Amino acid sequence: PSELVDEKTGIRVGFSDRQSLVTGMRQAIANVIHFPEQLDRLGAAAQANAQQKFTWDAKARQVVAVYDAVVNGTPNLNDLDFQ
């Protein structure tokens, strides 16, 4: 999902229909073939992102942050930063 991938952690392919998806995937694959070194950078960033946000410890920290915000009357939970 696009919420999990950004330009630093993966390759996003936008699309509005089947043809635009095919074209976007073709371009993404061509870029990887021409610039394979980008995979090391993307992979390292994706791994660091996953360890920071998606481990059980990270999820526990996020739940505690939401709980603390609710208890303290934080008006907008969207302002929480889970990084």
Side-chain angles (χ1 to χ4, degrees):
S2 63
E3 304 86 38
L4 303 179
V5 177
D6 61 23
E7 292 74 26
K8 295 176 188 170
T9 61
I11 300 169
R12 295 174 75 173
V13 177
F15 66 97
S16 58
D17 58 19
R18 185 177 194 276
Q19 187 55 48
S20 64
L21 176 59
V22 170
T23 299
M25 289 295 292
R26 219 177 251 144
Q27 289 172 343
I29 292 168
N31 283 338
V32 168
I33 290 170
H34 292 349
F35 306 104
E37 65 278 1
Q38 70 180 320
L39 296 178
D40 290 334
R41 179 181 46 80
L42 292 171
Q47 182 179 16
N49 187 51
Q51 290 172 338
Q52 182 180 22
K53 295 181 181 176
F54 302 115
T55 63
W56 285 113
D57 286 340
K59 289 297 177 190
R61 285 191 303 275
Q62 293 167 9
V63 169
V64 169
V66 170
Y67 177 82
D68 288 343
V70 170
V71 168
N72 293 319
T74 300
N76 188 353
L77 297 181
N78 289 327
D79 293 338
L80 293 177
D81 182 17
F82 293 121
Q83 297 196 27

